[in-house]
Amino acid sequence: SMPAPAVAVVSAMHGVTDALTALARIAAEGGDWRTPFTQLTRRHVEAASALDPADTLDSARWFAGEFDRLRTRLAAMAEAASPDEREAAAVQGLGEVWSSKLVQVALGGAPAGWTRLDAREVLVVEPSALGAMVDWPASQARLARWRETHPEANVVVTGFVARDAEGHATTLGRNGSDYSGTIFAVLFGAEELTIWTDVD
């Protein structure tokens, strides 16, 4: 019998969310964001090349694009020289995006039947006194639409990140990845949810 489809919801690599939060703050304050930016880039590029040494899954180009966009964004934040909460939140969630790519690559990528879901395409939340509340009907409808073009059985999903009702990238707040796991277990109709903490 075929194994049941699997959905893996991932958080950022250790320390990356803090590093991104600091990067956004340093850029907004006009400090030297380039040095920590370079360190963060190197860490992910090295992980990608360790997982995909021959770059058969085209991960090097993907990461180059990601870091180009982040560099442009940080330069713009430095230029504006004033903190923008919305920009900071968007930057803060990038660790999950990168991590989801690394895990997809580690699992063998599309050739092995693993696709990637950026939760910002599907998950709609609204802030409340209790933290981010899920808009279930909107999220369910978006996932159904996403599924039409991504029929692969297995999915790696970005934890922690989402969009608000206006379409701006946001996060579920500190340690939101466990919450993401639970949300996506519901959205995908999973039979079982297993949470692993601090995986090497």
Side-chain angles (χ1 to χ4, degrees):
S1 69
M2 288 285 290
V7 177
V9 180
V10 301
S11 55
M13 287 207 281
H14 182 73
V16 167
T17 305
D18 288 339
L20 285 163
T21 305
L23 264 183
R25 192 188 65 244
I26 294 163
E29 290 169 358
D32 169 30
W33 55 268
R34 288 175 191 276
T35 307
F37 168 82
T38 303
Q39 289 164 344
L40 200 57
T41 306
R42 188 176 301 132
R43 185 174 171 193
H44 286 84
V45 168
E46 283 173 2
S49 73
L51 292 166
D52 185 18
D55 198 28
T56 45
L57 299 173
D58 204 18
S59 49
R61 191 174 57 117
W62 187 89
F63 274 106
E66 281 290 311
F67 286 112
D68 277 347
R69 280 192 292 280
L70 177 56
R71 186 188 294 107
T72 303
R73 186 165 224 164
L74 291 167
M77 290 170 82
E79 190 80 7
S82 66
D84 179 332
E85 286 308 304
R86 204 161 254 168
E87 277 294 286
V91 168
Q92 194 182 28
L94 292 173
E96 278 67 20
V97 177
W98 304 335
S99 193
S100 68
K101 184 66 175 180
L102 291 173
V103 172
Q104 185 199 17
V105 167
L107 291 165
W114 284 90
T115 188
R116 242 182 96 251
L117 168 57
D118 184 331
R120 296 171 301 182
E121 293 181 37
V122 164
L123 185 56
V124 182
V125 300
E126 43 203 85
S128 79
L130 299 172
M133 301 293 282
V134 179
D135 180 336
W136 292 104
S139 301
Q140 203 78 64
R142 282 168 173 244
L143 179 60
R145 266 203 307 277
W146 181 87
R147 258 302 187 206
E148 288 167 11
T149 51
H150 299 83
E152 298 87 352
N154 304 312
V155 190
V156 180
V157 184
T158 55
F160 187 56
V161 293
R163 281 201 191 278
D164 63 20
E166 284 80 62
H168 299 289
T170 186
T171 72
L172 298 180
R174 271 330 223 169
N175 302 317
S177 288
D178 288 1
Y179 184 24
S180 299
T182 313
I183 291 166
F184 279 101
V186 174
L187 288 175
F188 277 97
E191 289 173 16
E192 185 179 32
L193 167 68
T194 307
I195 292 178
W196 288 328
T197 305
D198 295 330
V199 181
D200 68 19

